């Protein structure tokens, strides 16, 4: 009995050490693994289009890959162009936004005189006016463009993956994972594109600054489960407030975008996704935090597909089947 208990303790200890070592390895190899994993999921999103060209339109594999690759490159170039132009606009208007904030602080102290006695507003304004806004923004944009620099590596990985014919895959595990994640990615792409389009139309209609950037960020954030849509709603509000104050454009954008996120996220998306990944919501949230801790924001985007991969893998191994059931919420 004592030997069995010792063996159990040793096994548990080894599992814990393996998890710690694996997590450290994931963090250490982040620079290489993140672009590759992103390219894998982009490839999975493109597989249905590739299969449609080959099976329905009877296009040869090489020509189909060429068509998909050209479309993918053009879309990538468009997204990068939007980012570049938007951040150039931010840098150009940094001084204007700072002036607006100072004006709002002055109006606030005039409207609510008690704030002036509670806080040293003059000191706060002086400190805010002296902030090196351009330096801060250039540092932030430098980090963002550093991330965009990985897009070249992602594009190369994706094109090489497309060159392999998905129809030739015979491994049942790979086929199952490819099918489930492809359906998930395509559905999320459609839902995110629809939400992003609504956001773009609303922001452009009211004449909001950085409308295309916020629409693009909304598209990306909708791939982060649970919290992504909330961040997407809240993100444009400070700019809208600085531009319009609490006037009609601010409330119109907040109400319409909030309703769109709610309807699309709670009505349309569940119908499209169904139980395709068979993951419990609490499990999704836990792995969202874990992958966010390990790989930052890219990890949050990849949390659901990676967790789905682990679930499928665990369900194929007899000893880990209970873990797969646990991930599905079947205790």
């Amino acid at each position: 009995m004592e030997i069995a208990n010792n063996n159990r303790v040793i096994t548990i200890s080894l599992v814990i050490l393996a998890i710690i070592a694996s997590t450290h390895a994931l963090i250490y190899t982040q620079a290489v693994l993140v672009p590759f994993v992103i390219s894998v999921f982009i490839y999975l999103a493109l597989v249905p289009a590739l299969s449609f060209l080959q099976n329905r339109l009877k296009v040869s594999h090489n020509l189909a890959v060429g068509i998909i690759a050209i479309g993918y490159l053009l879309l990538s170039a468009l997204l990068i162009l939007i980012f570049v132009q938007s951040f150039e606009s931010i840098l150009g208007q940094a001084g204007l936004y700072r002036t607006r904030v100072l004006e709002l602080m002055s109006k606030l102290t005039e409207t609510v005189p008690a704030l002036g006695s509670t806080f040293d507003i003059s000191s706060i304004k002086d400190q805010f006016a002296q902030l090196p806004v351009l330096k801060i923004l250039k540092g932030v944009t430098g980090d963002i463009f550093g991330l965009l620099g990985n897009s070249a590596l992602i594009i190369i990985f994706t094109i090489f993956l497309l060159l392999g014919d998905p129809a030739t895959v015979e491994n049942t595990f790979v086929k199952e994972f490819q099918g489930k994640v492809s359906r998930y990615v395509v559905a999320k792409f459609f839902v995110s594109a629809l939400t992003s389009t609504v956001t773009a139309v609303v922001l452009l209609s009211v004449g909001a600054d950085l409308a295309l950037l916020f629409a693009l960020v909304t598209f990306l954030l909708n791939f982060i489960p649970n919290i992504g849509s909330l961040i997407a709603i809240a993100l444009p509000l400070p700019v809208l407030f600085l531009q319009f104050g609490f006037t009609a454009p601010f409330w119109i954008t907040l109400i319409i975008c909030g309703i769109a996120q709610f309807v699309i996220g709670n009505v349309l998306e569940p119908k499209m996704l169904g139980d395709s990944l068979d993951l419990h919501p609490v499990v999704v949230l836990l792995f969202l935090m874990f992958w966010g801790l390990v790989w930052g924001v890219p990890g949050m985007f990849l949390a659901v597909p990676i967790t789905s991969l682990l679930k499928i893998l665990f369900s194929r191994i007899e000893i880990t089947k209970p873990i797969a059931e646990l991930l599905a919420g079947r205790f």
Side-chain angles (χ1 to χ4, degrees):
M1 186 71 176
E2 186 177 349
I3 295 174
N5 289 334
N6 288 337
N7 289 337
R8 183 176 299 176
V9 170
I10 291 171
T11 302
I12 293 172
S13 300
L14 288 173
V15 169
I16 293 172
L17 290 173
I19 292 172
I20 294 172
S22 300
T23 303
H24 179 73
L26 288 170
I27 295 172
Y28 183 76
T29 58
Q30 176 181 354
V32 175
L33 280 181
V34 169
F36 176 70
V37 175
I38 291 175
S39 66
V40 168
F41 293 118
I42 292 174
Y43 160 74
L44 291 172
L46 297 175
V47 163
L50 187 63
S51 299
F52 176 80
L53 289 173
Q54 289 184 249
N55 300 330
R56 295 290 182 86
L57 301 183
K58 305 302 180 184
V59 176
S60 67
H61 176 67
N62 290 337
L63 180 58
V65 169
I67 294 171
I68 297 293
I70 290 171
Y72 173 57
L73 289 171
L74 290 175
L75 181 60
S76 300
L78 176 62
L79 297 181
I80 292 172
L81 181 63
I82 292 173
F83 265 118
V84 171
Q85 290 185 339
S86 297
F87 280 106
E88 283 181 353
S89 176
I90 291 174
L91 289 172
Q93 297 183 19
L96 177 60
Y97 287 134
R98 180 167 58 184
T99 302
R100 286 176 181 171
V101 171
L102 293 173
E103 290 174 354
L104 287 169
M105 290 175 70
S106 298
K107 289 180 181 178
L108 187 61
T109 53
E110 292 173 4
T111 307
V112 188
L115 285 176
S117 58
T118 305
F119 303 100
D120 188 357
I121 298 297
S122 299
S123 175
I124 294 173
K125 288 171 65 176
D126 290 341
Q127 291 177 10
F128 185 80
Q130 294 172 9
L131 282 176
V133 178
L134 286 176
K135 185 177 179 181
I136 293 171
L137 285 173
K138 285 178 181 178
V140 172
T141 53
D143 292 339
I144 291 173
F145 290 135
L147 291 174
L148 290 177
N150 286 329
S151 60
L153 190 58
I154 293 170
I155 289 169
I156 292 170
F157 277 142
T158 305
I159 291 174
F160 274 102
L161 287 169
L162 285 170
L163 290 173
D165 191 351
T168 61
V169 175
E170 297 181 358
N171 187 287
T172 55
F173 167 73
V174 175
K175 278 189 174 181
E176 181 183 356
F177 174 70
Q178 180 177 293
K180 285 189 174 183
V181 176
S182 289
R183 286 194 297 273
Y184 170 80
V185 174
V186 170
K188 287 294 289 186
F189 184 91
F190 175 79
V191 168
S192 299
L194 180 60
T195 310
S196 176
T197 302
V198 173
T199 302
V201 170
V202 173
L203 291 174
L204 290 171
S205 298
V206 301
D209 293 338
L210 309 174
L212 292 179
L213 175 64
F214 286 129
L216 178 57
V217 171
T218 297
F219 172 79
L220 296 174
L221 286 173
N222 271 273
F223 281 87
I224 300 177
N226 302 320
I227 64 172
S229 58
L230 297 177
I231 298 174
I233 295 171
L235 209 56
L237 297 183
V239 173
L240 288 168
F241 176 70
L242 289 176
Q243 188 175 357
F244 303 110
F246 289 124
T247 57
F250 179 91
W251 296 112
I252 288 171
T253 304
L254 177 60
I255 292 170
I256 294 179
C257 291
I259 291 173
Q261 288 278 7
F262 179 82
V263 172
I264 294 172
N266 293 279
V267 178
L268 180 61
E269 185 174 339
K271 287 185 176 180
M272 292 187 67
L273 292 177
D275 296 325
S276 57
L277 297 181
D278 196 21
L279 294 172
H280 195 274
V282 174
V283 170
V284 171
L285 187 59
L286 289 173
F287 276 88
L288 179 68
M289 292 186 289
F290 172 77
W291 287 108
L293 178 66
V294 173
W295 281 349
V297 175
M300 298 174 76
F301 284 103
L302 300 170
V304 173
I306 292 175
T307 307
S308 173
L309 169 62
L310 292 174
K311 180 185 173 297
I312 296 170
L313 181 63
F314 289 151
S315 66
R316 294 303 184 100
I317 303 171
E318 190 64 33
I319 197 171
T320 57
K321 279 185 178 179
I323 300 177
E325 293 296 305
L326 186 65
L327 294 177
R330 292 186 285 271
F331 305 105

